[in-house]
Amino acid sequence: MPETVRDALARYHAENGFTGDAMTGETVQVRVLGQTLDFPSPAFQRPLLARHDLHHVLTGYGTDLRGEAEMGAWELGAGPGHWFVWVNDLGALALGVLCPLRTARAFARGLRCRSLYRDDTSYEALLEMETEALRARLGLRR
């Protein structure tokens, strides 16, 4: 049976030691130097962070510093669509000095894709989709 985005997100959370859901959580968990820290998550950023997590699931980019640099570069290429995402991704892109080639490849990959930030599909509907179908919809190849 094909994996749903909900199942892939649950696996992503378990593999990375994250608890809760970015869409509803009052805090967001961030990994810093191997430690998972909780930071306040204002209501406006929750749907953005939830889609950011889905981008991690769909692209396969990690949650370490290199993975976040790749994720920021991919999202910038694919279209951030919101000022908060621009700021967040530019900050993550600065981490690209750790892996400039990987970061450049992620940006180029993003240029050929669409991000979920510009997709009007509800979060719940995205979670019910098959993972590979959503990857195809965004133009992602693994």
Side-chain angles (χ1 to χ4, degrees):
M1 182 173 176
E3 181 180 50
T4 66
V5 173
R6 182 182 308 279
D7 293 338
L9 181 63
R11 184 173 33 79
Y12 160 82
H13 283 156
E15 288 172 354
N16 289 287
F18 296 143
T19 58
D21 183 355
M23 182 62 101
T24 58
E26 293 186 10
T27 61
V28 60
Q29 293 179 311
V30 178
R31 291 182 61 183
V32 179
L33 302 174
Q35 299 294 319
T36 302
L37 305 174
D38 288 324
F39 290 95
S41 182
F44 84 89
Q45 85 176 9
R46 293 175 195 160
L48 300 170
L49 291 175
R51 288 177 187 252
H52 174 83
D53 284 353
L54 294 185
H55 287 157
H56 274 287
V57 168
L58 298 167
T59 61
Y61 296 131
T63 58
D64 59 354
L65 295 178
R66 288 184 177 132
E68 290 298 344
E70 290 173 307
M71 188 78 267
W74 183 88
E75 287 183 342
L76 286 172
H82 188 280
W83 70 266
F84 176 77
V85 178
W86 275 99
V87 170
N88 196 40
D89 287 344
L90 288 171
L93 192 61
L95 298 171
V97 299
L98 300 172
C99 52
L101 187 56
R102 287 171 54 170
T103 302
R105 275 189 281 213
F107 179 75
R109 182 184 186 201
L111 290 173
R112 298 184 303 271
C113 298
R114 293 181 44 226
S115 82
L116 291 172
Y117 297 125
R118 296 179 180 206
D119 190 309
D120 292 333
T121 307
S122 74
Y123 182 66
E124 277 302 314
L126 291 171
L127 293 177
E128 295 308 315
M129 292 182 71
E130 291 180 6
T131 304
E132 289 307 316
L134 186 52
R135 279 191 184 112
R137 183 169 152 184
L138 298 182
L140 277 163
R141 294 184 206 123
R142 282 188 48 136

